[in-house]
DNA sequence: TTGAAAGCGTTACCAT
DNA sequence: ATGGTAACGCTTTCAA
């Protein structure tokens, strides 16, 4: 594999000139430039990005850490990041953390070692303290889908409390009085926030509710089935289910049907995220829209800006820019009862 | 950000020793090693992966090019690659190509510039000739989900023809005689192969079929709706639909219902890929299982092996190892008719 | 066991 | 417009 020196030698010029041509720099005569280009083509020269990176302080690419690509919600994140990267002609170095703390930490570490300046991190398992430290150390690091008060100007997150409130409010307004909530265990705060939001709403009305907590990682279709199974086995009475996400909701619907219960006639169900899945299923799922793709784009732009040393002024922080608002999407899985 | 020299100075040793410690190399006294480690910790030293890469010929990470992360099928690919990467403690550099030729080419180029030796490429838009050339030039490049005869020992693909055959065979066996096929336009051969497979099967029976071709990129839920819309508008008669993928199938089911047609009572539907979606919907979708995750793992291992110069002997090529076989998954969207 | 020094492939500054 | 060359941060002989 030829180097810049080989090209220089072959073209009878200095490495400096070749470098200029590679970078489309000025100060190269037209004929020389042509000649060098020709030779580069002939010798199939391919720049060594590592060698370049060592000289230039500014690594233009952006690094991202994602928990699990298999989750469509996270795939949407990736897509959002990708969109702004493409539009700015930047590369993405993706490092997936497989939902365990060590590998998430490792993923960040690797990105740092490669000197990526702009980092978008979606961490589910790393604790606040560690992340705060990273944020202090790395100016271009932005946390996506997570809210840590101490560094909130470096976070882009969803107002989960409002989301939970929306779900509860809707269901109560439709006359439901016995409600089952399917939550998920884990370090992530969003479950907790959503529950808080629900409780705050529900407390205003004379209703009963029961929370079924799935174990970490069970926020899936199967998890939804299990949860309903449990609920039914325990003899819990409910006319509505508030699910942590769409997949759970769909699983719940399936298991309800298996037990001869129809949705929404016997039981109403509300999901969360508003993935394609929610539109595809029958009945179409009433859910909460999660603008995760926009959020991802925002996070990427923020990371890029911060990595260039722009906009660090704490004064200009406005929560509206960092906290996104979920929205209720009414479809067909909730029925009014009296 | 401290360099190896800073550490050396602070520890009163030579850069060489520090380097040895970093790489867990031998030839360093125990106390010296401890001291260096301590100083590295105190100064928060972080190795520069680029500088390392420039010295070492062997880039352990693996590079991957994917067309579109948003497609769950592709996400599964990523997941498969990830799994073997994690298990071998390797990093992944992901470069997404957004379904257009230029950006796919660009993605490969970038990986090459970073000197990644093992490349798993899922290219939808680059032509055979160009890929063959890449393959010749880069020993560790493997094509995932694509079959190019000239370099098939470097490809991992699905037997799409068999897949199409399976779909057709099943539907014919269930007594259907009027069949609608929803295909998708594009450079990718898999549509074509599947159709071929279907035709080959259908030709054996006295049945009619009609092909509705969606435009490139419309292999989605909405595409399925549109296709059925068109079919119905054109007055095509059919009792069964063979869809290019599950999303299309689900969209088709939805539109059929909108027209008062029930699945499978009025129309039977078969999908392809066997994504979660297929299990979640009602009725559960009969489909073809696509072992894409296994394939991705295989491709990754192959790329890794090839990049180390192992197993290039053409003699040992066996098609069974490279071509994967799809399987029919019977669920509830097909009904026997007479 | 340790260190000096020669690279690795580029870039960028300073001359010419 | 061009070339020489130090420097980037690290690894790896080769001596000591």
């Amino acid at each position: 594999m030829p180097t810049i020196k080989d090209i220089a030698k072959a073209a009878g010029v200095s490495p400096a000139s070749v470098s200029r041509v590679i970078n489309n720099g000025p100060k190269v005569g037209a004929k020389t430039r042509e000649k060098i280009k020709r030779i580069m083509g002939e010798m199939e020269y391919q720049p060594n990005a590592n060698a370049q990176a060592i000289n230039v302080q500014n690594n233009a690419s952006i690094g991202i850490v994602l928990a699990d690509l298999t989750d469509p919600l996270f795939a949407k994140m990736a897509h959002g990041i990708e969109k702004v990267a493409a539009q700015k002609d930047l590369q993405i170095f993706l490092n997936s953390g497989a939902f365990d703390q060590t590998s998430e930490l490792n993923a960040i570490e690797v990105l740092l070692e490669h000197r990526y300046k702009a980092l978008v991190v979606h961490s589910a398992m790393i604790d606040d303290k560690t992340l705060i430290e990273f944020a202090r150390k790395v100016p271009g690091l932005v946390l996506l889908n997570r809210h840590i008060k101490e560094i909130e100007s470096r976070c882009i997150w969803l107002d989960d409390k409002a989301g939970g409130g929306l779900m509860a409010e809707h269901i109560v307004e439709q006359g439901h009085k016995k409600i089952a909530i399917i939550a998920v265990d884990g370090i992530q705060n969003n479950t907790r926030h959503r529950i808080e939001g629900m409780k705050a709403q529900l407390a205003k009305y004379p209703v009963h509710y029961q929370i079924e907590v799935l174990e970490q990682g069970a926020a899936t279709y199967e998890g939804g089935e299990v949860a309903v199974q449990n609920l039914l086995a325990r003899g819990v009475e409910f006319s509505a289910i508030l699910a942590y996400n769409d997949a759970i909701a769909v699983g719940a619907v399936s298991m309800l049907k298996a037990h001869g219960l129809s949705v929404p006639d016997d039981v109403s169900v509300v999901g969360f995220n508003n993935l394609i899945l929610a539109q595809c299923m029958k009945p179409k799922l009433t859910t909460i829209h999660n603008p995760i793709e926009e959020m991802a784009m925002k996070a990427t732009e923020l990371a890029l800006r911060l990595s260039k040393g722009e906009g660090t002024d704490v004064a200009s922080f406005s929560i509206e820019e960092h906290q996104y608002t979920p929205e209720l999407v009414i479809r067909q899985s909730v029925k009014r009862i009296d």
Side-chain angles (χ1 to χ4, degrees), chain A residues 6-22:
Chain A
D6 300 324
I7 304 294
K9 201 164 294 174
V13 301
S14 76
S17 292
V18 179
S19 175
R20 290 180 188 115
V21 171
I22 293 172

Side-chain angles (χ1 to χ4, degrees), chain A residues 306-319:
Chain A
L306 289 173
S307 72
K308 290 182 194 139
E310 301 166 21
T312 323
D313 35 7
V314 184
S316 76
F317 174 79
S318 84
I319 208 167

Side-chain angles (χ1 to χ4, degrees), chain A residues 17-37:
Chain A
S17 292
V18 179
S19 175
R20 290 180 188 115
V21 171
I22 293 172
N23 299 296
N24 283 314
K27 307 187 178 182
V28 183
K31 55 291 177 69
T32 321
R33 168 166 273 132
E34 281 324 304
K35 182 172 186 187
I36 293 177
K37 276 193 174 169

Side-chain angles (χ1 to χ4, degrees), chain A residues 147-219:
Chain A
H147 177 41
I148 299 179
K149 186 67 187 169
E150 292 88 333
I151 49 171
E152 59 182 356
S153 67
R154 310 284 291 283
C155 299
I156 299 293
W157 72 96
L158 184 73
D159 188 345
D160 279 299
K161 206 167 161 186
L166 241 31
M167 296 170 90
E169 189 183 12
H170 179 60
I171 218 70
V172 171
E173 275 179 353
Q174 298 302 309
H176 293 269
K177 298 201 164 27
K178 294 174 184 168
I179 299 162
I181 297 171
I182 305 181
V184 178
D185 200 10
I187 301 179
Q188 299 148 283
N189 290 320
N190 47 14
T191 313
R192 208 172 324 142
H193 291 324
R194 285 181 203 170
I195 304 267
E196 273 176 34
M198 291 177 193
K199 286 187 181 172
Q201 269 300 322
L202 296 175
K204 302 180 189 165
Y205 303 86
V207 302
H208 290 291
Y209 61 89
Q210 179 93 25
I211 304 180
E212 168 74 18
V213 181
L214 290 168
E215 60 189 6
Q216 168 103 21

Side-chain angles (χ1 to χ4, degrees), chain A residues 59-89:
Chain A
N59 186 337
S61 314
I62 108 150
I64 77 180
V65 178
L66 283 191
D68 175 13
L69 279 175
T70 296
D71 185 322
L73 187 71
F74 302 164
K76 268 183 139 179
M77 284 187 199
H79 197 240
I81 296 170
E82 218 162 60
K83 267 159 83 173
V84 351
Q87 140 200 335
K88 309 207 181 208
D89 206 34

